[in-house]
Tab-separated table of all heavy atoms in Angstrom:
chain	number	residue	atom	x	y	z
A	761	ALA	N	-12.878	17.427	-2.077
A	761	ALA	CA	-13.146	15.991	-2.184
A	761	ALA	C	-14.179	15.719	-3.286
A	761	ALA	O	-14.041	14.764	-4.061
A	761	ALA	CB	-13.627	15.430	-0.841
A	762	ALA	N	-15.206	16.548	-3.347
A	762	ALA	CA	-16.215	16.377	-4.401
A	762	ALA	C	-15.594	16.619	-5.780
A	762	ALA	O	-15.904	15.900	-6.745
A	762	ALA	CB	-17.380	17.322	-4.174
A	763	PHE	N	-14.726	17.620	-5.869
A	763	PHE	CA	-14.050	17.903	-7.137
A	763	PHE	C	-13.198	16.712	-7.581
A	763	PHE	O	-13.252	16.289	-8.735
A	763	PHE	CB	-13.185	19.150	-6.985
A	763	PHE	CG	-12.316	19.430	-8.169
A	763	PHE	CD1	-12.806	20.121	-9.273
A	763	PHE	CD2	-10.991	18.983	-8.200
A	763	PHE	CE1	-11.997	20.371	-10.366
A	763	PHE	CE2	-10.187	19.213	-9.300
A	763	PHE	CZ	-10.686	19.913	-10.394
A	764	VAL	N	-12.396	16.185	-6.671
A	764	VAL	CA	-11.522	15.058	-7.001
A	764	VAL	C	-12.358	13.826	-7.358
A	764	VAL	O	-12.044	13.119	-8.336
A	764	VAL	CB	-10.556	14.765	-5.845
A	764	VAL	CG1	-9.784	13.467	-6.101
A	764	VAL	CG2	-9.586	15.939	-5.659
A	765	ALA	N	-13.417	13.580	-6.608
A	765	ALA	CA	-14.284	12.427	-6.899
A	765	ALA	C	-14.842	12.510	-8.311
A	765	ALA	O	-14.861	11.525	-9.056
A	765	ALA	CB	-15.403	12.334	-5.882
A	766	ASP	N	-15.298	13.712	-8.680
A	766	ASP	CA	-15.882	13.895	-10.011
A	766	ASP	C	-14.848	13.715	-11.109
A	766	ASP	O	-15.100	13.016	-12.103
A	766	ASP	CB	-16.505	15.293	-10.100
A	766	ASP	CG	-17.133	15.557	-11.455
A	766	ASP	OD1	-18.102	14.872	-11.808
A	766	ASP	OD2	-16.632	16.451	-12.162
A	767	ARG	N	-13.670	14.306	-10.950
A	767	ARG	CA	-12.645	14.257	-11.985
A	767	ARG	C	-11.979	12.878	-12.086
A	767	ARG	O	-11.563	12.472	-13.168
A	767	ARG	CB	-11.583	15.311	-11.723
A	767	ARG	CG	-12.058	16.755	-11.920
A	767	ARG	CD	-12.476	17.007	-13.376
A	767	ARG	NE	-12.885	18.386	-13.615
A	767	ARG	CZ	-12.102	19.336	-14.097
A	767	ARG	NH1	-10.840	19.069	-14.368
A	767	ARG	NH2	-12.569	20.541	-14.306
A	768	ALA	N	-11.857	12.211	-10.947
A	768	ALA	CA	-11.131	10.927	-10.940
A	768	ALA	C	-12.060	9.713	-10.992
A	768	ALA	O	-11.590	8.595	-11.124
A	768	ALA	CB	-10.240	10.849	-9.707
A	769	GLY	N	-13.369	9.947	-10.875
A	769	GLY	CA	-14.311	8.834	-10.884
A	769	GLY	C	-14.261	7.995	-9.634
A	769	GLY	O	-14.394	6.762	-9.682
A	770	LEU	N	-14.120	8.656	-8.469
A	770	LEU	CA	-14.098	7.956	-7.201
A	770	LEU	C	-15.484	7.850	-6.609
A	770	LEU	O	-16.310	8.764	-6.737
A	770	LEU	CB	-13.173	8.674	-6.209
A	770	LEU	CG	-11.705	8.818	-6.592
A	770	LEU	CD1	-10.956	9.579	-5.506
A	770	LEU	CD2	-11.059	7.452	-6.823
A	771	ALA	N	-15.751	6.737	-5.924
A	771	ALA	CA	-17.006	6.572	-5.210
A	771	ALA	C	-17.027	7.508	-3.999
A	771	ALA	O	-15.967	7.933	-3.498
A	771	ALA	CB	-17.140	5.127	-4.750
A	772	PRO	N	-18.224	7.854	-3.495
A	772	PRO	CA	-18.306	8.779	-2.357
A	772	PRO	C	-17.480	8.347	-1.154
A	772	PRO	O	-16.875	9.188	-0.484
A	772	PRO	CB	-19.809	8.789	-2.026
A	772	PRO	CG	-20.462	8.474	-3.322
A	772	PRO	CD	-19.555	7.504	-4.015
A	773	GLU	N	-17.423	7.044	-0.873
A	773	GLU	CA	-16.651	6.572	0.277
A	773	GLU	C	-15.147	6.653	0.043
A	773	GLU	O	-14.361	6.463	0.986
A	773	GLU	CB	-17.037	5.143	0.629
A	773	GLU	CG	-16.730	4.100	-0.434
A	773	GLU	CD	-17.881	3.881	-1.428
A	773	GLU	OE1	-18.750	4.768	-1.532
A	773	GLU	OE2	-17.885	2.804	-2.066
A	774	ASP	N	-14.752	6.974	-1.189
A	774	ASP	CA	-13.338	7.091	-1.503
A	774	ASP	C	-12.898	8.526	-1.751
A	774	ASP	O	-11.805	8.770	-2.258
A	774	ASP	CB	-12.990	6.222	-2.726
A	774	ASP	CG	-12.948	4.759	-2.360
A	774	ASP	OD1	-12.554	4.440	-1.230
A	774	ASP	OD2	-13.314	3.923	-3.206
A	775	ALA	N	-13.739	9.476	-1.383
A	775	ALA	CA	-13.390	10.894	-1.443
A	775	ALA	C	-13.947	11.529	-0.176
A	775	ALA	O	-15.119	11.882	-0.096
A	775	ALA	CB	-13.961	11.552	-2.688
A	776	VAL	N	-13.092	11.664	0.820
A	776	VAL	CA	-13.529	11.941	2.198
A	776	VAL	C	-12.917	13.241	2.702
A	776	VAL	O	-11.721	13.496	2.511
A	776	VAL	CB	-13.106	10.777	3.119
A	776	VAL	CG1	-13.576	11.033	4.548
A	776	VAL	CG2	-13.626	9.452	2.606
A	777	THR	N	-13.743	14.052	3.352
A	777	THR	CA	-13.261	15.220	4.082
A	777	THR	C	-13.535	14.994	5.568
A	777	THR	O	-14.636	14.586	5.943
A	777	THR	CB	-13.999	16.493	3.621
A	777	THR	OG1	-13.844	16.641	2.208
A	777	THR	CG2	-13.432	17.720	4.311
A	778	LEU	N	-12.545	15.260	6.401
A	778	LEU	CA	-12.693	14.948	7.829
A	778	LEU	C	-13.187	16.147	8.644
A	778	LEU	O	-14.297	16.161	9.119
A	778	LEU	CB	-11.365	14.418	8.385
A	778	LEU	CG	-10.875	13.106	7.759
A	778	LEU	CD1	-9.591	12.638	8.421
A	778	LEU	CD2	-11.951	12.034	7.838
A	779	PHE	N	-12.390	17.183	8.803
A	779	PHE	CA	-12.756	18.313	9.649
A	779	PHE	C	-12.936	19.554	8.779
A	779	PHE	O	-12.081	19.847	7.939
A	779	PHE	CB	-11.679	18.552	10.717
A	779	PHE	CG	-11.561	17.431	11.692
A	779	PHE	CD1	-10.679	16.384	11.486
A	779	PHE	CD2	-12.366	17.388	12.833
A	779	PHE	CE1	-10.569	15.324	12.377
A	779	PHE	CE2	-12.278	16.334	13.726
A	779	PHE	CZ	-11.393	15.305	13.504
A	780	THR	N	-14.038	20.260	8.980
A	780	THR	CA	-14.382	21.371	8.099
A	780	THR	C	-14.717	22.637	8.882
A	780	THR	O	-15.082	22.593	10.062
A	780	THR	CB	-15.595	21.018	7.211
A	780	THR	OG1	-16.744	20.862	8.031
A	780	THR	CG2	-15.329	19.731	6.431
A	781	ALA	N	-14.595	23.760	8.178
A	781	ALA	CA	-15.013	25.062	8.720
A	781	ALA	C	-15.481	25.917	7.551
A	781	ALA	O	-14.965	25.805	6.425
A	781	ALA	CB	-13.863	25.750	9.441
A	782	ALA	N	-16.471	26.756	7.795
A	782	ALA	CA	-17.045	27.564	6.728
A	782	ALA	C	-16.131	28.719	6.303
A	782	ALA	O	-16.095	29.089	5.120
A	782	ALA	CB	-18.403	28.120	7.169
A	783	GLU	N	-15.394	29.285	7.234
A	783	GLU	CA	-14.558	30.432	6.899
A	783	GLU	C	-13.343	29.995	6.069
A	783	GLU	O	-12.632	29.057	6.467
A	783	GLU	CB	-14.055	31.126	8.171
A	783	GLU	CG	-13.245	32.379	7.889
A	783	GLU	CD	-12.706	33.045	9.138
A	783	GLU	OE1	-13.062	32.626	10.245
A	783	GLU	OE2	-11.902	34.004	8.986
A	784	PRO	N	-13.063	30.646	4.942
A	784	PRO	CA	-11.879	30.312	4.147
A	784	PRO	C	-10.626	30.934	4.752
A	784	PRO	O	-10.175	32.011	4.344
A	784	PRO	CB	-12.211	30.902	2.773
A	784	PRO	CG	-13.104	32.057	3.080
A	784	PRO	CD	-13.920	31.664	4.281
A	785	ALA	N	-10.089	30.266	5.757
A	785	ALA	CA	-8.951	30.791	6.510
A	785	ALA	C	-8.024	29.659	6.917
A	785	ALA	O	-8.374	28.489	6.820
A	785	ALA	CB	-9.454	31.548	7.729
A	786	SER	N	-6.846	30.021	7.368
A	786	SER	CA	-5.925	29.023	7.888
A	786	SER	C	-6.596	28.242	9.030
A	786	SER	O	-7.318	28.826	9.845
A	786	SER	CB	-4.669	29.697	8.407
A	786	SER	OG	-3.790	28.764	8.990
A	787	PRO	N	-6.375	26.929	9.098
A	787	PRO	CA	-7.025	26.140	10.159
A	787	PRO	C	-6.744	26.661	11.570
A	787	PRO	O	-7.599	26.531	12.462
A	787	PRO	CB	-6.426	24.745	9.970
A	787	PRO	CG	-6.128	24.676	8.505
A	787	PRO	CD	-5.658	26.071	8.139
A	788	CYS	N	-5.594	27.291	11.790
A	788	CYS	CA	-5.286	27.779	13.140
A	788	CYS	C	-6.243	28.869	13.586
A	788	CYS	O	-6.368	29.143	14.796
A	788	CYS	CB	-3.838	28.279	13.196
A	788	CYS	SG	-3.498	29.757	12.209
A	789	PHE	N	-6.944	29.494	12.635
A	789	PHE	CA	-7.882	30.560	12.982
A	789	PHE	C	-9.306	30.064	13.230
A	789	PHE	O	-10.134	30.807	13.750
A	789	PHE	CB	-7.926	31.625	11.877
A	789	PHE	CG	-6.642	32.369	11.696
A	789	PHE	CD1	-6.095	32.522	10.430
A	789	PHE	CD2	-5.969	32.932	12.772
A	789	PHE	CE1	-4.909	33.206	10.234
A	789	PHE	CE2	-4.779	33.618	12.594
A	789	PHE	CZ	-4.243	33.756	11.320
A	790	VAL	N	-9.609	28.837	12.828
A	790	VAL	CA	-10.996	28.377	12.880
A	790	VAL	C	-11.194	27.132	13.744
A	790	VAL	O	-12.330	26.708	13.959
A	790	VAL	CB	-11.558	28.124	11.469
A	790	VAL	CG1	-11.661	29.435	10.688
A	790	VAL	CG2	-10.705	27.132	10.697
A	791	PHE	N	-10.106	26.563	14.263
A	791	PHE	CA	-10.221	25.438	15.186
A	791	PHE	C	-9.527	25.812	16.493
A	791	PHE	O	-8.429	26.374	16.490
A	791	PHE	CB	-9.558	24.176	14.616
A	791	PHE	CG	-10.265	23.626	13.403
A	791	PHE	CD1	-9.847	24.003	12.132
A	791	PHE	CD2	-11.318	22.738	13.540
A	791	PHE	CE1	-10.490	23.502	11.005
A	791	PHE	CE2	-11.958	22.243	12.423
A	791	PHE	CZ	-11.545	22.624	11.152
A	792	ASP	N	-10.150	25.460	17.626
A	792	ASP	CA	-9.590	25.829	18.922
A	792	ASP	C	-9.787	24.692	19.946
A	792	ASP	O	-10.765	24.668	20.662
A	792	ASP	CB	-10.256	27.115	19.439
A	792	ASP	CG	-9.637	27.602	20.744
A	792	ASP	OD1	-8.459	27.247	21.012
A	792	ASP	OD2	-10.321	28.335	21.494
A	793	PRO	N	-8.832	23.792	20.020
A	793	PRO	CA	-7.670	23.627	19.149
A	793	PRO	C	-7.997	22.682	17.998
A	793	PRO	O	-9.078	22.075	17.980
A	793	PRO	CB	-6.657	22.972	20.095
A	793	PRO	CG	-7.513	22.091	20.960
A	793	PRO	CD	-8.809	22.851	21.151
A	794	PHE	N	-7.075	22.530	17.061
A	794	PHE	CA	-7.266	21.540	16.001
A	794	PHE	C	-7.052	20.149	16.574
A	794	PHE	O	-6.043	19.906	17.245
A	794	PHE	CB	-6.313	21.777	14.846
A	794	PHE	CG	-6.537	20.796	13.717
A	794	PHE	CD1	-7.606	20.959	12.853
A	794	PHE	CD2	-5.722	19.692	13.545
A	794	PHE	CE1	-7.844	20.042	11.837
A	794	PHE	CE2	-5.947	18.773	12.541
A	794	PHE	CZ	-7.010	18.955	11.681
A	795	PRO	N	-7.973	19.197	16.304
A	795	PRO	CA	-7.878	17.847	16.881
A	795	PRO	C	-6.886	16.962	16.122
A	795	PRO	O	-7.255	16.012	15.431
A	795	PRO	CB	-9.311	17.337	16.764
A	795	PRO	CG	-9.852	18.008	15.547
A	795	PRO	CD	-9.214	19.378	15.527
A	796	PHE	N	-5.595	17.268	16.251
A	796	PHE	CA	-4.581	16.616	15.429
A	796	PHE	C	-4.530	15.100	15.652
A	796	PHE	O	-4.538	14.314	14.699
A	796	PHE	CB	-3.208	17.220	15.706
A	796	PHE	CG	-2.108	16.650	14.838
A	796	PHE	CD1	-1.948	17.085	13.530
A	796	PHE	CD2	-1.241	15.676	15.330
A	796	PHE	CE1	-0.952	16.555	12.726
A	796	PHE	CE2	-0.246	15.158	14.543
A	796	PHE	CZ	-0.088	15.587	13.241
A	797	GLU	N	-4.484	14.672	16.901
A	797	GLU	CA	-4.365	13.236	17.183
A	797	GLU	C	-5.577	12.485	16.673
A	797	GLU	O	-5.456	11.384	16.089
A	797	GLU	CB	-4.159	12.993	18.679
A	797	GLU	CG	-2.804	13.400	19.208
A	797	GLU	CD	-2.677	14.903	19.448
A	797	GLU	OE1	-3.716	15.606	19.356
A	797	GLU	OE2	-1.544	15.356	19.712
A	798	ALA	N	-6.775	13.036	16.877
A	798	ALA	CA	-7.992	12.376	16.392
A	798	ALA	C	-7.983	12.324	14.869
A	798	ALA	O	-8.420	11.329	14.273
A	798	ALA	CB	-9.217	13.120	16.894
A	799	CYS	N	-7.496	13.367	14.240
A	799	CYS	CA	-7.432	13.401	12.777
A	799	CYS	C	-6.470	12.341	12.255
A	799	CYS	O	-6.780	11.607	11.310
A	799	CYS	CB	-7.002	14.794	12.306
A	799	CYS	SG	-7.151	15.053	10.529
A	800	VAL	N	-5.311	12.208	12.877
A	800	VAL	CA	-4.336	11.201	12.471
A	800	VAL	C	-4.907	9.800	12.637
A	800	VAL	O	-4.729	8.926	11.766
A	800	VAL	CB	-3.027	11.370	13.268
A	800	VAL	CG1	-2.116	10.148	13.068
A	800	VAL	CG2	-2.301	12.632	12.828
A	801	ALA	N	-5.621	9.568	13.727
A	801	ALA	CA	-6.221	8.246	13.952
A	801	ALA	C	-7.245	7.925	12.861
A	801	ALA	O	-7.305	6.785	12.360
A	801	ALA	CB	-6.876	8.204	15.328
Side-chain angles (χ1 to χ4, degrees):
F763 172 84
V764 172
D766 180 65
R767 291 297 182 96
L770 299 179
E773 64 269 20
D774 285 327
V776 182
T777 304
L778 297 183
F779 294 91
T780 66
E783 183 182 353
S786 177
C788 67
F789 295 131
V790 294
F791 293 93
D792 185 23
F794 182 77
F796 183 80
E797 289 79 8
C799 190
V800 167

